[in-house]
Amino acid sequence: MASVNDDTDREHPTLSPRSVKHRNSVAQLHGMGYAQELKRTMSIFSNFSISFSIICIVSGGINGFPQAIASVGGAGAGIGWPVGCCLSGMFALAMAQIASAFPTAGGLYHWASILGNPVLGFATGWLNLMGLITVLGAINIGTAYFFAGTFGGMIGFTGTEGQVVVFVAVITIVQALLNHLGIKITTMLTNVSGIIIIVTTAVLVVSCLVLAPAINISRLWTFTNYSDAGGGVFPESESIGYLFLLCLLLPFFTLVGYDASASVSEETMDAAASVPKGIVTAVFWSSLVGWVMICSITLAIPEMFFFTMEGIMPSGLKFALYAGIVIAQLLSGLATVTSASRMIFAFARDGGFPIGSKTLSTVSPKFRTPVAAIWTTMVLCILYVLLALSIKVGGTSIYVIVVNSTIVFLYLSYTVPLVAGVFAYGTERWPEPGPWAMSGAVYKLVSALSVVAMGLIMFIAMAPPNQRVLYVVLSFVVLLVILWLAVEKRRFKGPPTGDRIAALRSSIVAAELAVGEKQPLIEMNYERRDGAVQSKHQY
């Protein structure tokens, strides 16, 4: 772990607290072997907002609403949602503990590598990348279909597969362009997105409760078997317990993407303290506000199914809510491009791609953004959407199959570094926690609960009618194993550690000067203490 010489603070008594925090964050980054190439301007609220925007309860929570009550009725919302959120929250808490100690871009890949080994980092990087690209595609496809069902009729947009591909291509290009132009623009828009989500949800909740023809609060804990109601949402089953587990897919699918707070660590002020708070608060408020929203919709539905908006809302209010939801979904995609591009940038910075790593890790001196990684994210998303909607398996587009695999890919990429962290905690790999920390015993307990939750996610994500998800995940894992054994085992070293960090002094200086960092590193000395490389910085 890196430390800053306390004497340097006394040498600069006129530095503002913000400047001191910035300098300490940069020093910590240098101690891990990386230059401050990205622009570090994000506040703790902005860090929270980017994860809150990706979670976007008015996107996943509404588009996946059938998962809440089409299995076991209102209990799926009243009981299922908080149970799923608590389990997902275990991942967030454990992730926050590691993020506080190792605040780097593309955090998951970096953590798995240095707490485990390069092969774990390699696997985590590709699992996370696959999850982020597919979730970006799912968000933008969901936006396209939601737009088709709300405003599309005004312009002849009916949601055909061809129209959806064009729609997704256009909005993804715009999302990439806004990311290209600088983190300040992205930050401003994701801050606005957080406000829009809260306001839209509040109006939706109040409207549902006020305009509902009747309120029967007992719905929220009443179990009713709706699995034979048709529509293919759930398989027909007599087991309420099995169906209850399946309804947990809604909170699990909605509460993903909060690793974005870690992905923008190098653009966040006082990252060691701000990033873990961003992760935990984004999950907490999404869980709480999402529960209120899901419950209010459930209570407002006259016949326990899904025509609430059309059935009880005045047209003006309905379209205002639709507009808020569409904007929130578009900005959710914007935030996901940010997260995915930083992950690609960080992975490429350590040579994670067999070809193109040098280009993908390039930062624009003008905009201080990883432009090649941003546009690569855009291209991969559009290609995925094009293939996913055009290829059919048994009459079903592979999008339906792969989108359910997204949960598995993302949560697996969360689980690997958490397990590695449990074994590394208190050792030379991770000698001390960061400023945001639970006790060691609590951290290990939370991580163990995360592993249990991962097993549950694997089960319910691959249960009928989603059994093809198993084949998708296994195929991807087999490809990773082949790539590792054939190419990467001899080439890929992972993040810099030990003496490799000390050898990067000149390249760090050059990289910061190249992008015009206002406080470039002038001198960087290393000494070895207790087996770990420590750094002392002067500016």
Side-chain angles (χ1 to χ4, degrees):
M1 291 294 299
S3 63
V4 182
N5 191 339
D6 292 337
D7 292 337
T8 60
D9 288 340
R10 291 191 289 270
E11 291 170 4
H12 300 279
T14 60
L15 286 176
S16 67
R18 180 181 175 88
S19 297
V20 170
K21 289 179 179 179
H22 173 78
R23 189 179 56 168
N24 290 344
S25 295
V26 173
Q28 187 175 23
L29 186 62
H30 291 161
M32 290 185 282
Y34 299 117
Q36 183 63 60
E37 295 180 273
L38 303 174
K39 191 71 171 177
R40 193 181 290 271
T41 59
M42 293 181 70
S43 66
I44 184 172
F45 178 76
S46 297
N47 187 276
F48 153 82
S49 292
I50 194 167
S51 286
F52 190 67
S53 296
I54 293 177
I55 294 172
C56 193
I57 54 174
V58 294
S59 177
I62 290 177
N63 290 338
F65 182 71
Q67 297 285 1
I69 66 170
S71 56
V72 293
I79 300 175
W81 177 272
V83 168
C85 289
C86 286
L87 292 173
S88 186
M90 297 299 102
F91 290 90
L93 287 170
M95 191 184 298
Q97 181 102 349
I98 304 178
S100 183
F102 305 98
T104 58
L108 295 167
Y109 145 73
H110 189 258
W111 306 337
S113 298
I114 61 176
L115 298 176
N117 53 52
V119 65
L120 291 182
F122 173 81
T124 300
W126 280 102
L127 285 169
N128 191 232
L129 177 59
M130 183 67 170
L132 288 170
I133 295 301
T134 54
V135 81
L136 175 59
I139 290 169
N140 285 348
I141 289 174
T143 304
Y145 283 127
F146 189 86
F147 182 83
T150 53
F151 302 108
M154 302 176 184
I155 59 174
F157 184 83
T158 58
T160 65
E161 291 181 351
Q163 289 176 332
V164 168
V165 170
V166 173
F167 184 96
V168 169
V170 171
I171 65 173
T172 309
I173 290 170
V174 173
Q175 290 161 348
L177 178 61
L178 292 171
N179 269 278
H180 181 125
L181 295 175
I183 191 62
K184 285 188 176 181
I185 293 177
T186 303
T187 297
M188 179 191 69
L189 291 172
T190 52
N191 288 349
V192 171
S193 174
I195 296 170
I196 290 174
I197 291 171
I198 292 293
V199 171
T200 301
T201 304
V203 174
L204 178 60
V205 167
V206 172
S207 301
C208 284
L209 297 179
V210 170
L211 299 173
I215 296 293
N216 179 7
I217 195 71
S218 66
R219 279 182 173 180
L220 299 180
W221 57 79
T222 300
F223 288 81
T224 307
N225 190 334
Y226 284 103
S227 66
D228 60 351
V233 177
F234 286 94
E236 185 174 353
S237 174
E238 296 182 359
S239 172
I240 287 290
Y242 173 66
L243 293 170
F244 178 75
L245 291 179
L246 292 184
C247 85
L248 300 181
L249 282 170
L250 173 63
F252 282 137
F253 181 74
T254 304
L255 294 179
V256 293
Y258 45 83
D259 55 304
S261 287
S263 293
V264 295
S265 292
E266 294 174 29
E267 294 156 278
T268 302
M269 299 297 298
D270 194 20
S274 299
V275 169
K277 292 176 183 177
I279 293 171
V280 173
T281 54
V283 172
F284 174 79
W285 286 111
S286 295
S287 300
L288 181 60
V289 177
W291 187 34
V292 174
M293 181 188 73
I294 293 295
C295 288
S296 67
I297 297 174
T298 301
L299 292 173
I301 295 173
E303 298 298 332
M304 211 54 181
F305 274 93
F306 315 119
F307 302 102
T308 307
M309 297 293 281
E310 298 294 333
I312 68 173
M313 295 285 179
S315 59
L317 177 60
K318 177 180 65 177
F319 283 107
L321 287 169
Y322 285 161
I325 293 169
V326 168
I327 293 171
Q329 290 177 340
L330 290 170
L331 294 178
S332 177
L334 171 76
T336 307
V337 171
T338 306
S339 180
S341 62
R342 271 49 173 187
M343 187 273 148
I344 291 175
F345 160 77
F347 200 27
R349 181 170 59 182
D350 293 327
F353 298 95
I355 57 173
S357 285
K358 184 176 181 180
T359 300
L360 290 171
S361 60
T362 300
V363 174
S364 165
K366 180 177 180 181
F367 299 108
R368 299 291 294 272
T369 54
V371 293
I374 289 169
W375 291 104
T376 298
T377 300
M378 180 273 296
V379 171
L380 290 175
C381 176
I382 294 174
L383 286 176
Y384 160 66
V385 170
L386 179 62
L387 293 173
L389 292 180
S390 61
I391 300 175
K392 309 288 183 181
V393 176
T396 303
S397 70
I398 64 169
Y399 166 71
V400 176
I401 301 168
V402 176
V403 75
N404 290 304
S405 308
T406 296
I407 302 175
V408 179
F409 289 131
L410 284 177
Y411 277 102
L412 275 176
S413 73
Y414 297 170
T415 303
V416 174
L418 299 189
V419 173
V422 168
F423 290 100
Y425 192 81
T427 70
E428 183 178 328
R429 292 180 181 272
W430 188 2
E432 297 178 359
W436 190 99
M438 302 172 284
S439 69
V442 173
Y443 162 69
K444 291 180 180 180
L445 174 61
V446 166
S447 297
L449 292 174
S450 299
V451 174
V452 173
M454 183 69 244
L456 177 61
I457 291 169
M458 295 280 286
F459 171 72
I460 61 178
M462 298 175 182
N466 301 320
Q467 57 269 32
R468 290 192 180 97
V469 171
L470 174 63
Y471 308 134
V472 173
V473 174
L474 285 179
S475 298
F476 189 73
V477 170
V478 168
L479 288 175
L480 286 184
V481 170
I482 293 173
L483 181 60
W484 174 259
L485 294 176
V487 180
E488 299 299 327
K489 184 178 180 179
R490 296 185 298 274
R491 188 192 69 84
F492 181 66
K493 297 180 180 180
T497 56
D499 292 335
R500 287 174 59 201
I501 296 177
L504 292 171
R505 175 182 180 275
S506 60
S507 63
I508 289 176
V509 173
E512 292 186 345
L513 291 173
V515 296
E517 175 67 9
K518 291 183 179 179
Q519 290 183 307
L521 184 65
I522 302 303
E523 185 177 348
M524 182 172 176
N525 298 318
Y526 290 89
E527 59 184 26
R528 186 170 295 277
R529 301 177 186 169
D530 300 326
V533 173
Q534 304 290 321
S535 61
K536 294 190 296 185
H537 306 270
Q538 295 178 1
Y539 294 84

